[in-house]
Amino acid sequence: MNPTVFVVDDDAAMRDALAQLLETADLQVEAHADGPAFLAAFEANRPGCLLLDMAMPGMNGFEVQAALNARGLSIPIIFLTGHGDIPMAVQAVQAGAVDFLEKPIQGAALLERVQRALALDQEWRLTQSRTQAIRQRYASLTSRERECMALAVSGHTSKEIARNLGISPRTVEVHRTHVMHKMGAANMAELVSMAACCIP
């Protein structure tokens, strides 16, 4: 699925100018006149980034960002504002925005920021799908294998794990082999990094 640059701005002339600029760079664009229209149309599985006007009637840029965060939807946001200040920029970035730009902005500079945001979205999605795959593999472990994995990644030896769980070191080795195989880990270092995203 090709990424989409979502443009949300209540100023029709600005919206059209941004869409035109992005389309000349062969980017797919979807423009909305306000936050509620964008929120109604946006789906989490759609890759892209969001060019979001800060000052809009009804629902401002911060409120759109907060609504996305409340739904657990992450999309790189580039804020556009006609009258920005540092506290506003800090607030936007702290809430997860990737950029904060003042209008008017040069076309080339805007396209560069948009490309950066799209690359970031792709990176996020790759990380997300990797994490999901690791969690699915972790879910396939038996409860005993999970116990062995948790102790192994904490640095315990097979003898210590055996003592801790009241089983033989040989049984621990069997569980460890199963864990490595099911998790698709080539070595302990890989298993430790996988554990970071699946062991609560």
Side-chain angles (χ1 to χ4, degrees), residues 24-80:
T24 58
D26 287 330
L27 291 165
Q28 196 168 293
V29 182
E30 188 179 300
H32 295 279
D34 56 46
F38 162 71
L39 291 167
F42 181 65
E43 290 164 19
N45 64 341
R46 294 183 67 186
C49 71
L50 171 58
L51 276 181
L52 182 58
D53 185 32
M54 181 59 82
M56 294 183 285
M59 191 179 204
N60 67 28
F62 279 139
E63 288 165 334
V64 175
Q65 183 183 33
L68 286 168
N69 290 344
R71 290 188 201 174
L73 300 173
S74 56
I75 180 170
I77 297 174
I78 299 171
F79 272 114
L80 295 173

Side-chain angles (χ1 to χ4, degrees), residues 57 64 70 73 77 110 116 124 135 154 177:
V64 175
L73 300 173
I77 297 174
L110 181 65
R116 203 186 304 166
W124 284 357
R135 284 182 180 153
S154 302
T177 304

Side-chain angles (χ1 to χ4, degrees), residues 17-185:
L18 288 169
Q20 222 169 2
L21 170 70
L22 295 161
E23 281 162 357
T24 58
D26 287 330
L27 291 165
Q28 196 168 293
V29 182
E30 188 179 300
H32 295 279
D34 56 46
F38 162 71
L39 291 167
F42 181 65
E43 290 164 19
N45 64 341
R46 294 183 67 186
C49 71
L50 171 58
L51 276 181
L52 182 58
D53 185 32
M54 181 59 82
M56 294 183 285
M59 191 179 204
N60 67 28
F62 279 139
E63 288 165 334
V64 175
Q65 183 183 33
L68 286 168
N69 290 344
R71 290 188 201 174
L73 300 173
S74 56
I75 180 170
I77 297 174
I78 299 171
F79 272 114
L80 295 173
T81 178
H83 37 265
D85 55 33
I86 289 170
M88 201 188 266
V90 168
Q91 187 184 337
V93 172
Q94 280 177 341
V98 297
D99 233 322
F100 191 93
L101 307 173
E102 282 198 60
K103 298 174 186 173
I105 178 167
Q106 282 188 315
L110 181 65
L111 288 173
E112 187 195 319
R113 305 294 181 92
V114 165
Q115 293 292 2
R116 203 186 304 166
L118 291 174
L120 190 62
D121 183 61
Q122 196 179 8
E123 211 176 286
W124 284 357
R125 285 173 187 278
L126 272 174
T127 305
Q128 214 173 7
S129 71
R130 276 196 212 109
T131 302
Q132 216 172 341
I134 290 168
R135 284 182 180 153
Q136 280 169 350
R137 294 200 290 268
Y138 181 72
S140 75
L141 301 181
T142 65
S143 55
R144 183 59 97 193
E145 285 165 354
R146 288 182 198 183
E147 287 173 332
C148 286
M149 177 175 164
L151 290 165
V153 297
S154 302
H156 293 82
T157 64
S158 289
K159 279 183 182 173
E160 287 167 343
I161 296 170
R163 225 176 11 252
N164 204 304
L165 301 178
I167 55 179
S168 73
R170 172 81 194 109
T171 305
V172 172
E173 285 304 328
V174 171
H175 287 318
R176 279 177 76 140
T177 304
H178 287 169
V179 167
M180 297 298 277
H181 176 69
K182 287 183 180 179
M183 292 300 293

